[in-house]
Amino acid sequence: MRPYTIVALIFLISPCFLACEFTTIPQPTDGTTLIHEGEEEGNQDKRLKWIDQMHRTAEHTSWTQFEYQNQLNWIAQKGEINFRSDCNAVSIANDKLRGTWMERGSLNLAGSVLDTEYDPIKDEIWLISAGGTLWRGKRDGSQWTPVNQDLIFSPGLLTLIPNRPHTRMLALINKVPHYSDDEGLSWTKAQGGPVRNDFWGGAENVVVLGENSPTIFLLGKPDYWSNLGLYVSSDAGLSFQKIKSFETHLFEKIHLSNPHHSPSVFLIDNSGNEAHFFEYTPHSGVFTPIVTDNSFSFGEVRVNLDGWATEDSLRLYSYRRNQGGDMGVFLSTDKGKTWVYQGKLPKTPWDVGIYVSPTDPNVLFMGEVDCYRSLNGGKEWTRINRWSEYYDDMEHKLHADIMHFKAFKTQAENDFLLISHHGGLTISYDNLATQRNISLSGLNVSQYYTVVTDPLDPNFVYAGSQDQGFQRSATFEDEAVEIEQFEQVISGDYAHLTFSKKGESLWAVYPDGWVTYYDDPQQQGYHLSYQLEEENRSELWLPPIMPSPNSEEDAVYMAGGNIVGDGGSYLIKLRADGNRIHATALDFNFKQASGGGEISAMASAPSHPDYWYVATSNGRFFFSRDAGDTWSQSLNFVVLGQYFFGQAIYVSRFDPNKVYLAGSGYDNPAVFVSTDGGENFAPLLHNLPPTLVLGLAADPAEQFLFAATETGPFVYVVEDARWYPLLGDCSPTQTYWSVEYVAALHIVRFGTYGRGIWDFVVDPTVATDEKEDEILGLDIKIFPNPMTDWMRVETKTISAKPIRMKLFGANGQFLQQYLLEQPSSSFDLGRFPSGVYWVQFEQNGKTQSKQIVITR
């Protein structure tokens, strides 16, 4: 969601507007969410363009195909797993790094949900989340369980085909048709379907005709500029055949529709100057042209159609602009030959379009930011609720941005409607007269761009999300909470959360350069904001920021855009001062110097605040030795990073000249290192697959470099000069967007774009400071393991000095200390809740550890 743009007139009338505005902001300490109105229709396209831009590649390289292959390679390495309950310890690089994965939520704020399906026999709902995970749960919103999180599913298809030896499931993976005959655990790519050679290729607009032995139709193309084809499957999704080509590469020009209760599929071809209608029936087996009066024109509107049929009646609905220019609903009762205007639409529908209720042909739904309903065939419309009302009643109001409608029937013949949106999934049994959000607990599909832990109190964790706002948890390290709950402080899309003033203040970036400032992030809403004028904005949808190198200063630097109006790309300093944010631009134009790139990442050296580094979106790198007054360019990196988008920079805490740079790595390495302050770079190649690296972090000793990537989490072990995958049995294949090392807790914390927050809890005995501990070499046995209340410990060697035994929680918190004074001893752990723990044994300055599990 977007806030209203503050118009220039306000600033002319009231120079103190920024200060005055915040005196009326509600402080969300009681769970109140600050609402910002407005939505730009082009926001989705801007975001998709930004994401594709980050995956910078050569012209004929398909980064989506690389990522699909990375998923398959990871599946081949894994055995049979049980998500959420099989989080075994991960050992990396011959046990140099050990740890355990923990899912942290958010438990209560679901992200976007896309396609849905329903199994009436088991009374289970299946869904695909926007992050691409396949889920199932009960109709009452309980027992949400990830079925497959090793593959990333695409929107557009989720269907169960019953009455077979094994119920078949159809879905899109990498926007290509796949099928599963084992309830979604394993998937096979269908033969003959459309291939996907770039971000914009693949299959869309899938129609399944029939239930037991369906015929499946879809539109597809390999890449953006290729013309569309019509594909059909007659063997329940095992294979497809291309039966028609169209004279357009635009999906919005062609449409397939199967009206409710109808045996026909209708095809509209709007690739020329007129819309041509065709009908397919199982009897004919072909698409037959429908003769129309050619008076119906879609114009610039996406081609659309939905309908409802009985044995002797067919009602087809569509929308377009009428002669007066208004967007309106039209009805045809003669298979599209003629059309009658019904009424004006309140808004232009998004891709979800108009959906006809299968129980009543006069009940229509449409979606954009809000959801609307008509009870009289499109003549009149009412809004279900304003999106801002959701925050006062999350259970019974619809969240913003309607993604999908689909109706189902239970075994008891009870009809219900599922509405997918950016706040999860809502169910209604009365055509949206009433509704309930069934994703408020356990459907952990938050889409996070940035997750950061408060440097002053690790109980506070903040997250910047895709359309679930800026979020805050105040009890993140509470032992009694396993998966955390968050409050949404303000609605919208937020990223690049950055602290200033020694961690007392927090800054967040909204699309197109709206920056919010929190002087008390633990308790209050934002205090100040700054909006970059439209003509001066960066081309990057979410421009990054970095903290001021002066840790005492309450300031950040925003990347890209300018405040001087010359179309360049500058570093803009934003400094909070009382009730104002002061903005000043540095002199250097990175767009001009880089040959057209935008600032896409920047950092300064912790040990030397005058050493600054900047990467650009077209693979250039710049360094400054005088706090940004003058800049030099790394010349050798121009060749190495020809298809490189600089996304993340990590500068060593110890050496200001040691710089790690990461970004798109499909036609070149994804990570580079410089040991001479950015003058020259060498690639870190070994064992990192082709992927996009979105974030970097290191342990305090800088033995391990952690990377958040499009493929998943990775770690670079400096001693081995090698990358290792960090995924475990229970951690999801997902876009890992952010990473930080929480030194106080020995945790590597990742933010994912579709599965919330995941912590890799480092074994407390792994050396992460500058001096590595010696390892205690004793033969120690712990049993039973798992255990309920008692733990028995046996060792063959007990010296005069007893062994000190420490118990740590899975998050690294110290819990209890014991003494092992006998070769065999028992310890009561009855007061500790079920979970994963670490036991550390220490004697004479040497340590070793073992993992235990308590279950009840």
Side-chain angles (χ1 to χ4, degrees):
M1 304 298 299
R2 274 201 56 88
Y4 281 134
T5 301
I6 302 174
V7 295
L9 179 61
I10 295 177
F11 287 97
L12 292 174
I13 294 174
S14 177
C16 70
F17 178 80
L18 284 175
C20 303
E21 177 192 17
F22 304 110
T23 60
T24 60
I25 288 178
Q27 306 300 334
T29 53
D30 59 352
T32 302
T33 299
L34 180 62
I35 307 300
H36 274 274
E37 298 282 351
E39 174 75 21
E40 291 184 358
E41 292 183 9
N43 220 24
Q44 175 76 350
D45 291 338
K46 289 181 181 179
R47 185 175 65 86
L48 292 177
K49 180 181 177 181
W50 169 65
I51 290 175
D52 192 39
Q53 184 183 14
M54 284 189 293
H55 297 82
R56 183 178 170 88
T57 65
E59 182 178 358
H60 299 295
T61 299
S62 172
W63 69 264
T64 60
Q65 191 62 34
F66 273 121
E67 295 298 347
Y68 174 64
Q69 189 60 51
N70 290 341
Q71 296 166 42
L72 298 183
N73 293 342
W74 173 243
I75 291 172
Q77 298 177 39
K78 295 178 70 171
E80 186 175 345
I81 57 174
N82 182 14
F83 298 127
R84 287 187 168 175
S85 63
D86 193 17
C87 295
N88 295 327
V90 177
S91 176
I92 302 294
N94 294 321
D95 215 31
K96 290 186 177 72
L97 176 65
R98 301 180 302 279
T100 303
W101 281 102
M102 288 183 63
E103 181 179 7
R104 304 305 303 271
S106 162
L107 175 70
N108 60 317
L109 297 177
S112 180
V113 167
L114 305 172
D115 298 272
T116 57
E117 180 59 298
Y118 176 66
D119 182 351
I121 305 299
K122 297 181 179 180
D123 195 24
E124 288 182 333
I125 293 172
W126 293 72
L127 64 83
I128 293 173
S129 63
T133 296
L134 177 65
W135 294 77
R136 68 179 171 191
K138 293 300 182 181
R139 189 160 40 94
D140 63 1
S142 66
Q143 300 181 38
W144 288 116
T145 303
V147 177
N148 193 308
Q149 58 180 20
D150 286 334
L151 291 165
I152 295 179
F153 293 80
S154 307
L157 174 64
L158 183 60
T159 290
L160 294 173
I161 302 176
N163 298 329
R164 305 175 63 83
H166 302 283
T167 297
R168 174 163 295 168
M169 183 173 293
L170 304 179
L172 299 180
I173 302 171
N174 193 33
K175 292 190 70 176
V176 173
H178 286 65
Y179 63 89
S180 172
D181 290 334
D182 58 4
E183 296 190 309
L185 295 179
S186 61
W187 291 81
T188 303
K189 184 167 65 173
Q191 299 298 311
V195 298
R196 189 187 189 194
N197 293 334
D198 69 10
F199 185 62
W200 310 101
E204 291 189 16
N205 194 186
V206 186
V207 168
V208 180
L209 181 64
E211 295 183 358
N212 297 332
S213 299
T215 304
I216 305 162
F217 302 89
L218 59 84
L219 303 175
K221 61 177 182 176
D223 52 57
Y224 182 81
W225 290 110
S226 294
N227 283 345
L228 294 175
L230 174 62
Y231 295 78
V232 62
S233 171
S234 302
D235 53 13
L238 291 177
S239 63
F240 284 81
Q241 179 183 2
K242 186 176 180 180
I243 62 172
K244 182 178 175 59
S245 296
F246 300 96
E247 296 301 318
T248 180
H249 68 283
L250 300 174
F251 278 109
E252 56 263 35
K253 293 292 185 179
I254 312 293
H255 187 70
L256 293 166
S257 177
N258 171 221
H260 298 301
H261 321 300
S262 171
S264 298
V265 173
F266 291 88
L267 167 67
I268 306 175
D269 181 354
N270 196 41
S271 56
N273 295 325
E274 299 176 351
H276 297 279
F277 290 73
F278 303 82
E279 181 184 12
Y280 173 96
T281 66
H283 176 71
S284 68
V286 296
F287 282 90
T288 303
I290 298 174
V291 178
T292 68
D293 61 8
N294 293 328
S295 63
F296 193 82
S297 172
F298 286 94
E300 83 287 0
V301 175
R302 171 183 287 268
V303 176
N304 62 91
L305 187 73
D306 200 9
W308 191 94
T310 61
E311 291 183 358
D312 56 357
S313 175
L314 175 66
R315 295 167 68 90
L316 297 178
Y317 289 96
S318 190
Y319 63 88
R320 65 174 177 88
R321 297 197 182 278
N322 61 20
Q323 293 182 349
D326 293 329
M327 193 67 68
V329 179
F330 290 79
L331 170 66
S332 175
T333 56
D334 55 9
K335 295 186 177 180
K337 295 178 182 178
T338 59
W339 294 85
V340 178
Y341 177 72
Q342 297 295 99
K344 181 181 176 181
L345 279 168
K347 298 282 186 177
T348 299
W350 286 2
D351 289 354
V352 66
I354 287 178
Y355 183 81
V356 182
S357 169
T359 62
D360 187 339
N362 290 303
V363 177
L364 312 181
F365 306 99
M366 62 148 282
E368 52 109 49
V369 176
D370 293 333
C371 179
Y372 298 81
R373 179 182 62 175
S374 173
L375 300 177
N376 54 11
K379 294 181 174 65
E380 300 169 304
W381 293 83
T382 56
R383 192 191 330 241
I384 301 302
N385 62 261
R386 292 185 179 274
W387 68 268
S388 56
E389 297 174 31
Y390 165 82
Y391 300 99
D392 290 328
D393 189 359
M394 294 171 62
E395 184 174 4
H396 300 106
K397 300 295 184 180
L398 291 176
H399 190 277
D401 298 349
I402 307 303
M403 305 303 293
H404 190 65
F405 297 109
K406 197 169 183 180
F408 303 96
K409 189 185 294 287
T410 69
Q411 274 196 305
E413 298 293 312
N414 295 319
D415 295 287
F416 65 94
L417 179 69
L418 292 179
I419 307 95
S420 306
H421 45 71
H422 278 186
L425 186 66
T426 293
I427 192 169
S428 176
Y429 295 92
D430 51 17
N431 281 328
L432 283 178
T434 60
Q435 59 274 338
R436 186 171 73 89
N437 191 321
I438 57 174
S439 59
L440 295 179
S441 179
L443 187 62
N444 300 346
V445 294
S446 296
Q447 296 164 271
Y448 290 142
Y449 293 118
T450 310
V451 174
V452 293
T453 305
D454 195 307
L456 305 181
D457 185 349
N459 267 307
F460 286 89
V461 173
Y462 311 97
S465 76
Q466 164 60 35
D467 210 31
Q468 277 285 318
F470 168 67
Q471 301 178 13
R472 171 174 60 211
S473 175
T475 58
F476 207 80
E477 297 307 324
D478 187 341
E479 290 180 29
V481 180
E482 293 183 0
I483 300 180
E484 304 303 325
Q485 305 225 10
F486 279 76
E487 64 168 318
Q488 188 174 164
V489 178
I490 183 173
S491 62
D493 311 320
Y494 295 89
H496 306 303
L497 309 185
T498 302
F499 295 101
S500 64
K501 200 179 177 182
K502 291 188 174 181
E504 294 181 11
S505 306
L506 179 71
W507 304 69
V509 176
Y510 196 89
D512 294 329
W514 187 59
V515 181
T516 49
Y517 164 80
Y518 296 77
D519 63 348
D520 184 8
Q522 294 184 2
Q523 303 295 332
Q524 305 296 335
Y526 77 89
H527 176 60
L528 300 171
S529 75
Y530 174 81
Q531 174 68 71
L532 196 62
E533 296 290 344
E534 184 173 0
E535 64 273 15
N536 296 332
R537 294 174 187 170
S538 166
E539 293 181 6
L540 304 184
W541 189 62
L542 283 168
I545 56 177
M546 77 169 185
S548 170
N550 179 0
S551 62
E552 303 274 355
E553 193 175 27
D554 209 0
V556 295
Y557 288 82
M558 181 166 63
N562 63 87
I563 57 176
V564 295
D566 68 354
S569 181
Y570 297 84
L571 282 173
I572 302 172
K573 183 177 182 179
L574 303 177
R575 181 174 60 86
D577 181 16
N579 289 323
R580 291 188 61 84
I581 291 179
H582 299 274
T584 55
L586 275 64
D587 293 333
F588 193 78
N589 186 344
F590 289 91
K591 192 167 189 176
Q592 182 181 58
S594 67
E598 293 270 351
I599 301 172
S600 53
M602 65 278 207
S604 63
S607 63
H608 202 311
D610 288 342
Y611 280 52
W612 292 17
Y613 299 101
V614 164
T616 62
S617 58
N618 63 341
R620 305 298 179 93
F621 190 83
F622 298 84
F623 56 92
S624 172
R625 303 281 195 269
D626 52 15
D629 286 341
T630 61
W631 292 87
S632 301
Q633 184 173 176
S634 170
L635 296 179
N636 88 305
F637 191 69
V638 176
V639 177
L640 290 173
Q642 183 180 1
Y643 301 109
F644 189 83
F645 183 106
Q647 179 65 27
I649 301 173
Y650 178 84
V651 187
S652 169
R653 296 169 52 247
F654 310 113
D655 182 356
N657 289 300
K658 190 171 187 178
V659 185
Y660 294 95
L661 172 64
S664 54
Y666 300 100
D667 292 292
N668 43 249
V671 185
F672 297 82
V673 63
S674 173
T675 57
D676 57 9
E679 294 188 22
N680 297 279
F681 279 88
L684 300 185
L685 288 168
H686 197 37
N687 207 37
L688 185 66
T691 192
L692 167 67
V693 176
L694 290 149
L696 294 174
D699 68 291
E702 295 184 353
Q703 302 172 87
F704 310 112
L705 181 69
F706 299 94
T709 84
E710 182 81 32
T711 294
F714 283 80
V715 59
Y716 183 78
V717 179
V718 176
E719 181 181 344
D720 294 358
R722 176 187 174 93
W723 290 97
Y724 294 88
L726 204 55
L727 277 172
D729 289 338
C730 70
S731 52
T733 300
Q734 189 71 211
T735 299
Y736 286 64
W737 206 293
S738 72
V739 59
E740 62 170 347
Y741 194 97
V742 187
L745 303 175
H746 295 280
I747 284 174
V748 190
R749 179 158 291 157
F750 290 91
T752 75
Y753 191 71
R755 287 289 277 113
I757 299 171
W758 284 76
D759 284 353
F760 183 75
V761 185
V762 179
D763 180 341
T765 65
V766 172
T768 55
D769 55 19
E770 294 182 62
K771 181 181 178 181
E772 187 171 353
D773 294 332
E774 294 185 75
I775 301 301
L776 180 64
L778 293 180
D779 182 10
I780 297 177
K781 296 180 180 179
I782 296 178
F783 59 91
N785 195 10
M787 60 196 65
T788 53
D789 295 324
W790 288 88
M791 173 181 71
R792 190 165 186 82
V793 181
E794 291 187 355
T795 180
K796 294 180 179 180
T797 305
I798 290 290
S799 65
K801 187 174 183 180
I803 298 173
R804 183 177 287 109
M805 189 174 72
K806 295 180 180 179
L807 181 68
F808 294 87
N811 60 2
Q813 286 182 303
F814 171 70
L815 302 177
Q816 184 72 45
Q817 179 171 293
Y818 309 87
L819 289 180
L820 185 60
E821 300 177 290
Q822 303 295 329
S824 179
S825 301
S826 296
F827 301 91
D828 184 4
L829 303 183
R831 72 183 185 88
F832 298 106
S834 298
V836 177
Y837 296 83
W838 292 94
V839 180
Q840 181 191 79
F841 301 92
E842 180 182 351
Q843 187 182 53
N844 298 323
K846 300 178 181 180
T847 63
Q848 72 184 67
S849 65
K850 290 183 178 290
Q851 183 192 65
I852 64 171
V853 178
I854 299 175
T855 60
R856 294 189 180 90

